[in-house]
Amino acid sequence: MAPVGGNSIHRSSSRPQLDLSGAAIQGNFEEKDPTILLPNQSDDISHLALDIGGSLIKLVYFSRHEDRPVNDRRKKTIKERLGISNNNRRSYPILGGRLHFVKFETHKINQCLDFISSKQLHCGVSNENAVIKATGGGAYKYADLFKERLGVSIEKEDEMSCLVSGANFLLKAIRHEAFTHMEGHKAFVQIDQNDLFPYLLVNIGSGVSMIKVDGDGQFQRVSGTNVGGGTYWGLGRLLTKCKSFDELLELSQRGDNRTIDMLVGDIYGGMDYSKIGLSASTIASSFGKAISENKDIEDYRPEDISLSLLRMISYNIGQISYLNALRFGLKRIFFGGFFIRGHAYTMDTISFAVQFWSNGEAQAMFLRHEGFLGALGAFMSYEKHGLDDLMVHQLVERFPMGAPYIGGNVHGPPLGDLNEKISWMEKFILKGTEITAPVPMAPPGTTGLGGFEVPSSKGDILRPDASKLNVGVLHLVPTLEVFPLLADPKMYEPNTIDLSDPGELEYWYTVLSDHLPDLVDKAVASEGGTDDAKRRGDAFARAFSAHLARLMEEPAAYGKLGLANLLELREECLREFHFFDAYRSIKQRENEASLAVLPDLLREIDNMNEETRLLTLVEGVLAANIFDWGSRACVDLYHKGTIIEIYRMSRKKMQRPWRVDDFDAFKERMLGSQDKEPCKHKRALLFVDNSGADVVLGMLPLARELLRRGTEVVLVANSLPALNDITAMELPDIVAEAAKHCDILRRAAEAGGLLVDAMISNQDSPKDNSSSVALMVVENGYGSPCIDLRQVSSELAAAAKDADLVILEGMGRALHTNFNARFSCDALKLAMVKNQRLAEKLINGNIYDCVCRFEPAG
Ligand SMILES: CC(C)(COP(=O)(O)O)[C@@H](O)C(=O)NCCC(=O)O
Ligand SMILES: [Mn+2]
């Protein structure tokens, strides 16, 4: 029996709000997603739901996070201080874990049963008469098979109802779920939760259902058509001898439907019928040419047949959908179902039809989880899972590890332990190298749909499976919150660099790829350089490269892609292969070296007047931000001297004005002027960045100055390691070390509960700290160099409530993300730009230029 349910807050781990007392892992403890028994959990929590359709089985299952129990004393103290309890505000439990999306072909149902059985998904509850919720016709057809093979009963859920609740959940809870797709260009649509209804949901499975949705559980199937995905696949199979739906779809890529469709021009001698707005290239009659030509099926190219069929069915669905939207006055039409399969050309065709018939009034929208609406809805139908109570900020979508190699499909048994994962990567070496080469991206407007024209070069630019990898693993993290000091959370966009610009994406792809060999060396060394570590390092490099290559192909595969996502992906991949702190020894070395010179620095600072001191402190933060192991240029620099030599050199170069220099405004705010009173902030949140000089000689002295002025200070650090960033777990020891040489820090740290035992040798001051302002440490919820303030730890959100000053430090937190963020309190953004291109783009400057941006409360 092994206890589960650590209390770490980061996104790879969350705190389930279930009754976990007495919980135990059943079976192999080493397994990635082992079954967990919850003997004291009174609610029925099931882990699996299915949608068994005519062609595909869609499966949604839940797995608990791998919790690594950590003994973090800081966490307990901070919870008490900030008044955070484990009791949930909600009335019923919310699962903390991951939702996985998997699909199988229905005729290979045994593969699906093997999958469920090997993952033990059907026995996730301590319930003797285990029941699985399922929807779709197969829930009836295969009920006996499930009973026979798995010993479980199937509880059938209404298909329409499941589709609707699945769609409603996705549209409300996933930020980048809905998108438009016109002429090869994908654009995400921001859906206002409060302005979602009514809409038309068109689910294109084997057949097509059109559902008017008025609210949660309020819907009506208003129409449908029997000409759907089954028609395309069935007719296509007969006419082309294709062996699979995907093969048929791929064939269409190379097709020319003019050889088989009758166009307006064919009837009007090559002319447009302009009087009624039809161009010569408009399809007048799908397959119409076949009647006038004395040809047999063999005389037509299968490619042309497939395209003609695809256009016929897609236009027809688009047209009927629009007419139904018109009938009920609905402005939004969402298309789902596995017919679409993220296929760019299908979406373009449907979009074109909707636009054409509505004269541009209506717009087709698609859903990234298009095929999983029913299965998700069936999952939602389990009572008391709390899923429908989750909000956007509590869901984090992650890149599924194996997806780049297999296009999101599941082949073979699930991966068990780390070793299996590595062998799996090794097995796919060939596949991996095949796709690692960047694939040209589709420039917008090249599918040639601008007038029912035949796409000229779509075979080269639109891969048939281009959008297959469009569903990640959904992490449910009920503890995440929106940072309360954002001025306008709805308008907030964390990323400064937009990677939908192909030039930007390519640049950052190259930067991250070039950095990889060095990172692998560091990671392997951090694990003792053993053969096992080398093997894992190799697998990590492959996995990360494959992800990058896949994202180059389709940047919006998992929703809008920003630089923060790429940097986070790198850290996630490292953790996936059990590299938990690649820069461990570097961080230790730099912390020690910096702590050794801290007393001298503090003495120097204390001899200055208030004004010079403030400038020196801000200058110190900027100078020390040079210690960044994520920057190629900086790493090259470290070969040229010791830490202290580089720190001194960096300080010497700090010439004002900095490239962005609001220091005078900040100084006036802090110290006042003839016209203005000085502002004594109540509580400052300092988002710290790197270990070593950055935090010890930069941020800590600044924190100390704020404490001296009577401002409470909360140091906000990463929950998990990322590059050489300091973590919340590591900070208390550093503060304790620094406090040995400084009364201000010591008293504040004691008042903040950071120094709870006799870590400090300097015991001569009075024990009563009631008058001291506190120094605290909270974790931010991230294991990445960047931070998305829409999803932060509950500790940070609680600490923010009384704060009136935010200081963001470093390139990741203040430039790549949050450079344009607006706060409802005073905000100071401090960073050294350690990348030439970013310096040019962002501040029209050069590498090593500095940013000191002060934005007073609005
Ligand atoms: C990874 C980083 C964001 C970390 O910067 P920091 O937040 O530590 O200031 C930064 O080093 C970076 O953007 N590096 C990649 C670019 C380069 O190597 O030039
Ligand atoms: Mn950093």
Side-chain angles (χ1 to χ4, degrees), residues 507-508 511-512 515 563 567 570 625 627-633 689-690 694 723-725 785-786 809-813 816 831-832 834-836:
Y507 173 75
W508 288 102
V511 166
L512 293 183
H515 200 259
L563 183 53
L567 292 169
R570 180 168 66 181
N625 191 232
F627 291 96
D628 164 14
W629 284 85
S631 149
R632 162 102 302 152
D689 180 4
N690 303 315
D694 196 354
L723 292 165
N724 61 321
D725 290 354
C786 298
E809 193 230 346
M811 235 167 116
R813 293 163 189 80
H816 290 332
M832 180 189 276
K834 291 149 288 189
N835 174 280
Q836 179 62 28

Side-chain angles (χ1 to χ4, degrees), residues 325-341:
L326 191 69
R327 197 174 140 210
F328 296 99
L330 306 173
K331 288 205 180 64
R332 294 201 190 100
I333 313 175
F334 294 106
F335 290 86
F338 255 124
F339 168 71
I340 300 169
R341 297 189 183 205

Side-chain angles (χ1 to χ4, degrees), residues 387-572:
L387 202 61
D388 43 8
D389 208 24
L390 283 174
M391 298 202 276
V392 176
H393 62 263
Q394 293 164 320
L395 293 160
V396 184
E397 194 167 345
R398 288 252 167 269
F399 307 79
M401 190 204 50
Y405 296 95
I406 52 174
N409 293 329
V410 170
H411 293 291
L415 300 171
D417 58 13
L418 176 67
N419 193 42
E420 266 182 52
K421 219 184 281 176
I422 299 169
S423 345
W424 187 82
M425 274 294 162
E426 287 166 348
K427 217 166 67 191
F428 280 92
I429 289 176
L430 274 179
K431 263 254 172 238
T433 44
E434 236 170 61
I435 65 159
T436 302
V439 176
M441 285 176 291
T446 47
T447 55
L449 263 174
F452 288 75
E453 298 287 349
V454 172
S456 50
S457 58
K458 67 182 186 303
D460 299 333
I461 51 167
L462 287 176
R463 294 160 50 104
D465 63 344
S467 305
K468 245 180 157 185
L469 171 70
N470 56 3
V471 180
V473 176
L474 211 54
H475 291 229
L476 318 182
V477 194
T479 48
L480 292 179
E481 291 186 38
V482 179
F483 187 61
L485 296 171
L486 280 178
D488 186 354
K490 274 207 179 118
M491 293 303 291
Y492 172 78
E493 165 56 51
N495 283 290
T496 311
I497 305 285
D498 184 359
L499 292 186
S500 53
D501 172 346
E504 283 296 337
L505 181 61
E506 203 166 321
Y507 173 75
W508 288 102
Y509 169 89
T510 313
V511 166
L512 293 183
S513 301
D514 290 352
H515 200 259
L516 199 51
D518 193 39
L519 177 59
V520 172
D521 284 351
K522 295 264 173 344
V524 172
S526 76
E527 294 283 307
T530 60
D531 284 349
D532 167 66
K534 283 185 192 137
R535 208 172 144 227
R536 283 191 279 134
D538 205 36
F540 153 71
R542 276 185 229 292
F544 184 54
S545 306
H547 273 301
L548 281 181
R550 194 66 186 84
L551 287 165
M552 276 291 283
E553 277 177 31
E554 207 203 342
Y558 301 98
K560 203 169 162 199
L561 185 71
L563 183 53
N565 308 96
L566 282 190
L567 292 169
E568 189 174 31
L569 170 64
R570 180 168 66 181
E571 302 299 331
E572 281 288 315

Side-chain angles (χ1 to χ4, degrees), residues 251-357:
L251 218 52
S252 74
Q253 295 286 125
R254 302 187 294 272
D256 178 353
N257 65 311
R258 286 173 301 188
T259 62
I260 196 157
D261 285 346
M262 187 187 284
L263 310 183
V264 167
D266 294 328
I267 305 171
Y268 281 78
M271 312 273 282
D272 295 341
Y273 185 177
S274 42
K275 203 171 154 193
I276 56 167
L278 296 178
S279 73
S281 57
T282 306
I283 300 173
S285 168
S286 290
F287 287 86
K289 256 193 193 141
I291 51 172
S292 55
E293 292 172 334
N294 198 14
K295 285 185 183 171
D296 286 327
I297 183 91
E298 292 77 25
D299 299 325
Y300 292 100
R301 293 195 323 140
E303 289 87 343
D304 299 348
I305 293 174
S306 177
L307 183 62
S308 177
L309 203 52
L310 178 67
R311 298 186 76 174
M312 176 179 94
I313 293 167
S314 304
Y315 281 135
N316 193 53
I317 295 171
Q319 182 172 6
I320 300 175
S321 304
Y322 166 66
L323 290 174
N324 275 290
L326 191 69
R327 197 174 140 210
F328 296 99
L330 306 173
K331 288 205 180 64
R332 294 201 190 100
I333 313 175
F334 294 106
F335 290 86
F338 255 124
F339 168 71
I340 300 169
R341 297 189 183 205
H343 190 245
Y345 195 69
T346 308
M347 294 189 281
D348 275 357
T349 311
I350 293 175
S351 298
F352 183 80
V354 171
Q355 201 195 38
F356 182 84
W357 290 108

Side-chain angles (χ1 to χ4, degrees), residues 639-675:
H639 300 303
K640 297 192 178 133
T642 65
I643 296 158
I644 301 307
E645 280 164 2
I646 291 165
Y647 170 71
R648 291 218 179 93
M649 180 275 295
S650 183
R651 280 200 68 151
K652 253 196 215 137
K653 287 200 167 173
M654 284 289 122
Q655 300 292 339
R656 280 191 73 199
W658 301 308
R659 196 77 195 121
V660 176
D661 193 336
D662 295 337
F663 177 76
D664 292 339
F666 177 61
K667 186 180 76 182
E668 189 183 51
R669 182 73 166 167
M670 299 291 279
L671 309 180
S673 63
Q674 277 179 339
D675 317 322

